[in-house]
Amino acid sequence: MYAPPGMPDPSPPAWQNPAFVALHCFACETPHDRHGLQTVCRACGLPLRVDYDHARAPLAPAALVGRPASLWRYREVLPIQPAHAVSLVEGFTPLCEVADRLFVKDESRNPTGSFKARGLVMAVAMARVLGAKALSAPSAGNAAGALAAYGAAARLPVVVAMPEDTPRAFVDECRHYGAEVQLVPGTIADAGRWLREHGPRDTFDVSTLKEPYRIEGKKTMAYELWEQLAGELPDVVIYPTGGGTGLVGMWKAFAEIRALGWRLPRVPRLVSVQMAGCAPVARGFAEGAAVTTAWADPQTRVWGLRVPSPIGGFLCLRAVRETGGTALTVTEDEAASATSRLAARTGLDICPEGGATFAAFEALRQAGAITARETVVLFNTGTGLKYR
Ligand SMILES: *Cc1c(COP(=O)(O)O)cnc(C)c1O
């Protein structure tokens, strides 16, 4: 069932969306076989991109009416047919207006309480149809919980490695779903190293942007914003950036939405928020660099953002620059205060990463970089309850 990359299939496998026509490297464009398990580009080691020929499975907004309230409503722009995936009903989270023109996209409502469910449902489904027998990933917490849950649903064994200072609830959650958990001194980068050096040999690694499909699940956040704002995308989207899957995914989705021919007067300015103690993307942006470099001594208790060397850092920089956005940092105190104030003011279950977006919003409003007239979406990427 092999078709040369970039060529349409004479008869695509039953699991495949017929519009999924190619896999290319995001950086060097080397093509890869989409019918095999892929990690990163074999030529340059950077992430792979899923390409669609929308003519093979067109999607018009009118077709969405009456479809399921999950990310599977966008099946024409996902790699796998819904019937071949294992879903826990992820995505299509509420967009809550918390003040005039200020919205919170509340990702805490996903299975396992974070938007990691969007990426992992896709990665696990693809790994399963392509023949993986076991799965692994390093994680700052939420990715591990989501992987454990989807691995359980797909009946695939899961091994996760997490920093040893990860709050207990994340560890308990993984064990609850039957995953094997290894706690490692250091950060997510050290957890990744532990898996490569000591992890079981026969597991497929679903780390952020080290396989091509998590981004495909995460990008659905942009399609949802389009639908929920009735075709009027916001002026600004503020995103707490760790690995950058969602940021890069939304940037990819904006291009797809345009290619699908949907109304898209302007693309939102993408704002990447990081913590002052671990900010490779914000530093790369400030320096005008094309790529991010590793952050030497990452220090933050906002665990989802403690990612010192994101493999997709160059894509985060592109997404921010091409949309006319920005990248900035907030301090631990600013994020903590913003988290409590936003939760107390809205009743939403705000996590520290979500609070960081509110702190960034306040700073950008203060500086005049966002005006009172503009529509802004903050991402509350997970539940606050696992951090205690
Ligand atoms: C993983 C995570 C992030 C960072 O997401 P990326 O798409 O990897 O940048 C932000 N917030 C929470 C709660 C997370 O779990």
Side-chain angles (χ1 to χ4, degrees):
M1 189 54 78
Y2 178 78
M7 298 290 289
D9 289 293
S11 59
W15 58 261
Q16 191 186 306
N17 169 2
F20 170 23
V21 291
L23 263 186
H24 284 98
C25 176
F26 261 113
C28 74
E29 296 294 331
T30 300
H32 289 69
D33 174 18
R34 67 196 177 287
H35 298 143
L37 276 174
Q38 299 289 353
T39 55
V40 290
C41 176
R42 73 181 117 74
C44 74
L46 290 170
L48 300 180
R49 181 192 66 228
V50 174
D51 293 328
Y52 299 90
D53 174 2
H54 299 300
R56 292 170 175 276
L59 178 61
L64 297 168
V65 177
R67 287 205 181 174
S70 76
L71 57 74
W72 296 101
R73 61 198 283 109
Y74 310 110
R75 58 180 184 254
E76 287 87 350
V77 293
L78 297 174
I80 187 169
Q81 305 281 11
H84 291 261
V86 179
S87 173
L88 298 171
V89 193
E90 46 289 316
F92 217 62
T93 55
L95 183 66
C96 307
E97 188 162 13
V98 298
D100 187 32
R101 285 177 242 264
L102 179 63
F103 294 83
V104 173
K105 180 76 167 148
D106 189 11
E107 293 293 304
S108 74
R109 320 277 183 108
N110 278 296
T112 69
S114 89
F115 71 164
K116 291 295 192 300
R118 294 178 185 266
L120 269 315
V121 69
M122 217 56 67
V124 170
M126 288 300 294
R128 194 176 67 133
V129 295
L130 296 175
K133 296 289 176 245
L135 304 168
S136 68
S139 168
N142 279 316
L147 175 57
Y150 286 98
R155 311 264 192 283
L156 291 172
V158 167
V159 183
V160 293
M162 288 187 271
E164 65 188 1
D165 56 1
T166 303
R168 189 73 212 179
F170 292 102
V171 178
D172 291 346
E173 177 185 31
C174 295
R175 296 195 170 130
H176 187 50
Y177 296 122
E180 193 184 310
V181 180
Q182 177 72 36
L183 295 175
V184 177
T187 70
I188 188 172
D190 301 292
R193 199 165 306 120
W194 184 89
L195 276 174
R196 282 193 298 281
E197 289 169 8
H198 308 287
R201 284 298 107 210
D202 52 348
T203 67
F204 182 68
D205 178 1
V206 294
S207 299
T208 299
L209 288 165
K210 291 193 180 162
E211 63 74 58
Y213 304 107
R214 280 175 65 172
I215 189 175
E216 294 303 299
K218 280 265 191 98
K219 79 180 181 189
T220 56
M221 297 187 296
Y223 286 89
E224 291 176 20
L225 289 181
W226 193 98
E227 269 200 90
Q228 291 172 322
L229 292 169
E232 294 290 338
L233 280 170
D235 295 288
V236 180
V237 171
I238 307 186
Y239 185 87
T241 310
T245 333
L247 190 76
V248 175
M250 285 191 281
W251 172 61
K252 180 176 190 279
F254 297 145
E256 291 176 0
I257 286 171
R258 188 152 274 155
L260 284 163
W262 297 12
R263 217 175 81 74
L264 188 61
R266 58 175 155 59
V267 160
R269 309 199 300 275
L270 288 174
V271 173
S272 166
V273 185
Q274 296 198 303
M275 299 306 296
C278 182
V281 173
R283 180 176 64 189
F285 181 80
E287 291 174 349
V291 296
T292 53
T293 49
W295 192 271
D297 181 26
Q299 296 287 352
T300 176
R301 294 186 63 77
V302 182
W303 311 111
L305 306 190
R306 197 173 61 172
V307 182
S309 45
I311 183 174
F314 70 109
L315 296 172
C316 296
L317 290 170
R318 263 195 225 165
V320 165
R321 289 200 181 107
E322 275 186 20
T323 60
T326 189
L328 75 163
T329 61
V330 298
T331 65
E332 299 291 307
D333 286 351
E334 286 164 348
S337 149
T339 304
S340 317
R341 285 183 290 113
L342 189 57
R345 171 168 147 184
T346 62
L348 294 172
D349 177 14
I350 305 294
C351 64
E353 294 83 352
T357 68
F358 186 49
F361 167 74
E362 292 180 314
L364 292 169
R365 273 295 296 276
Q366 187 90 47
I370 294 176
T371 69
R373 285 246 206 42
E374 293 186 301
T375 301
V376 179
V377 171
L378 310 179
F379 268 89
N380 183 47
T381 43
T383 167
L385 296 176
K386 294 190 216 167
Y387 293 74
R388 314 231 159 100

